[in-house]
Amino acid sequence: MDKNKILKYAAVFILIIGIAYFWNRLSPGAIDKNFDTPTSSGSDSKSAIELTDLDKVTGSKSVPSVVKEYEGFTVDFNPENKTPNYVAWILHGSETEGSTARSNNFWTDQELEGCPDTRDYSRSGYDRGHMCPAGEQKWSEEAMLHSFVMANICPQKHELNTGAWKTLEDKERVWAKRDSAIVIIAGPIYDSSDKETIGRNKVRVPSAFFKVLLAPFAKPMRAIGFVYPNMKCDGNMQAYAVSVDDVEKITGFDFFSALPDEIENDIESVVSFREWNSNKKKQKNNEGVER
């Protein structure tokens, strides 16, 4: 083969490799486990990296479900239980602070069939427990207002709402700052024996709550789950930490399915609370060993 043909084939090969590389980088939902973490103050905006579909959840078609997007979060509402099946949102580090005051203005979404009235909770013995917390919506007046929609609320024991559940909410804001952004999905857990309801609209009381978190910018990427019974929960957070796989088995939901299967299977099968609760970003030495 002459020299000109060799150069021609080499140029075509390099072009193909280049196209494949850029196509992989630009394809929606393409997630690299080792992608660079944003570092500048403005780089943790929603457009900093492709997070499309990471907050999407797959569930059973037999469960009543109406999905509605609000400012800052998405609700999958169950019109029979009068509570969400789950609430999902992406919390960016820049959204953990803001000047918007807490509104405390609970409201019924008239466009959502089965959305209860705030009075259903009056003198019920249960708090109006946020799934997506108002404390993470200070970045926007509209987001703060929307966080008080009754579709985002579940009957929650006061001791849990102001205790262990609040502790977890406070921690996830710390983690969002540390990791630039985290994906959060939370909701009630119902057992077949959960027959208690409250109020005129008969809002069903759950026996427990779950929350799963994904840190897509961490190196390596990580995920964790938590399950809290609907009561006062003593002890530290680690006692309630579980794998995402465990939460999927309990709820029947499939979380973070937009990830490549190899990554999803890896991060959802482990529980590493110590790693999650570390205040330091892991670094690697020249041999690739974490330190």
Side-chain angles (χ1 to χ4, degrees):
M1 185 179 295
D2 61 42
K3 183 176 181 181
N4 289 335
K5 285 187 177 181
I6 293 175
L7 293 175
K8 180 179 179 180
Y9 290 142
V12 171
F13 178 76
I14 292 172
L15 178 61
I16 292 173
I17 295 298
I19 291 173
Y21 171 79
F22 285 107
W23 177 260
N24 180 65
R25 296 294 292 176
L26 295 175
S27 294
I31 302 296
D32 180 356
K33 190 174 182 178
N34 295 311
F35 52 57
D36 291 335
T37 302
T39 55
S40 64
S41 59
S43 62
D44 59 352
S45 66
K46 292 185 178 180
S47 61
I49 195 166
E50 183 59 68
L51 296 176
T52 303
D53 294 336
L54 284 182
D55 60 342
K56 300 298 188 294
V57 180
T58 302
S60 172
K61 294 182 178 179
S62 64
V63 177
S65 169
V66 180
V67 177
K68 183 167 183 178
E69 293 188 8
Y70 295 92
E71 182 68 13
F73 60 96
T74 300
V75 172
D76 184 316
F77 186 74
N78 189 318
E80 291 187 3
N81 292 337
K82 312 299 191 302
T83 61
N85 290 316
Y86 64 82
V87 179
W89 66 104
I90 300 172
L91 179 63
H92 295 258
S94 59
E95 295 174 341
T96 60
E97 299 177 351
S99 58
T100 303
R102 182 183 175 93
S103 73
N104 287 319
N105 182 26
F106 292 94
W107 57 284
T108 300
D109 188 341
Q110 300 295 342
E111 297 180 352
L112 200 59
E113 180 184 357
C115 188
D117 190 287
T118 182
R119 290 171 294 184
D120 287 318
Y121 286 71
S122 298
R123 295 182 294 277
S124 67
Y126 292 93
D127 284 1
R128 300 167 182 85
H130 285 74
M131 294 298 97
C132 179
E136 294 172 13
Q137 308 304 317
K138 297 177 182 178
W139 55 276
S140 163
E141 290 186 4
E142 184 177 15
M144 177 62 72
L145 172 64
H146 284 190
S147 72
F148 283 89
V149 65
M150 293 302 295
N152 181 41
I153 304 300
C154 288
Q156 199 168 51
K157 278 295 185 181
H158 177 74
E159 295 83 0
L160 176 63
N161 187 31
T162 60
W165 192 254
K166 182 180 183 300
T167 299
L168 177 55
E169 291 174 340
D170 292 340
K171 272 293 184 182
E172 66 198 33
R173 292 191 273 277
V174 174
W175 294 336
K177 288 182 180 179
R178 179 196 63 193
D179 294 330
S180 295
I182 55 175
V183 183
I184 309 171
I185 305 166
I189 296 174
Y190 289 102
D191 185 79
S192 58
S193 62
D194 293 334
K195 305 296 185 182
E196 182 183 3
T197 63
I198 59 173
R200 180 176 60 86
N201 289 301
K202 299 187 181 303
V203 182
R204 190 180 179 193
V205 178
S207 55
F209 294 92
F210 76 86
K211 184 169 284 188
V212 294
L213 303 96
L214 170 71
F217 296 143
K219 294 184 178 181
M221 190 183 299
R222 57 177 174 264
I224 195 170
F226 293 90
V227 173
Y228 288 91
N230 196 4
M231 61 179 68
K232 182 178 180 180
C233 294
D234 296 319
N236 57 38
M237 294 174 61
Q238 189 168 1
Y240 305 95
V242 297
S243 71
V244 174
D245 280 345
D246 289 333
V247 179
E248 290 181 335
K249 292 175 184 177
I250 295 171
T251 63
F253 295 134
D254 183 11
F255 305 110
F256 314 133
S257 59
L259 291 172
D261 289 341
E262 179 183 356
I263 297 176
E264 181 186 4
N265 295 336
D266 182 27
I267 65 176
E268 291 189 356
S269 62
V270 298
V271 186
S272 184
F273 179 78
R274 180 175 297 181
E275 180 181 11
W276 263 93
N277 203 37
S278 172
N279 290 325
K280 297 180 180 179
K281 291 184 178 180
K282 285 192 174 182
Q283 298 178 340
K284 295 183 178 181
N285 61 24
N286 294 332
E287 287 74 35
V289 178
E290 292 179 349
R291 56 183 174 85

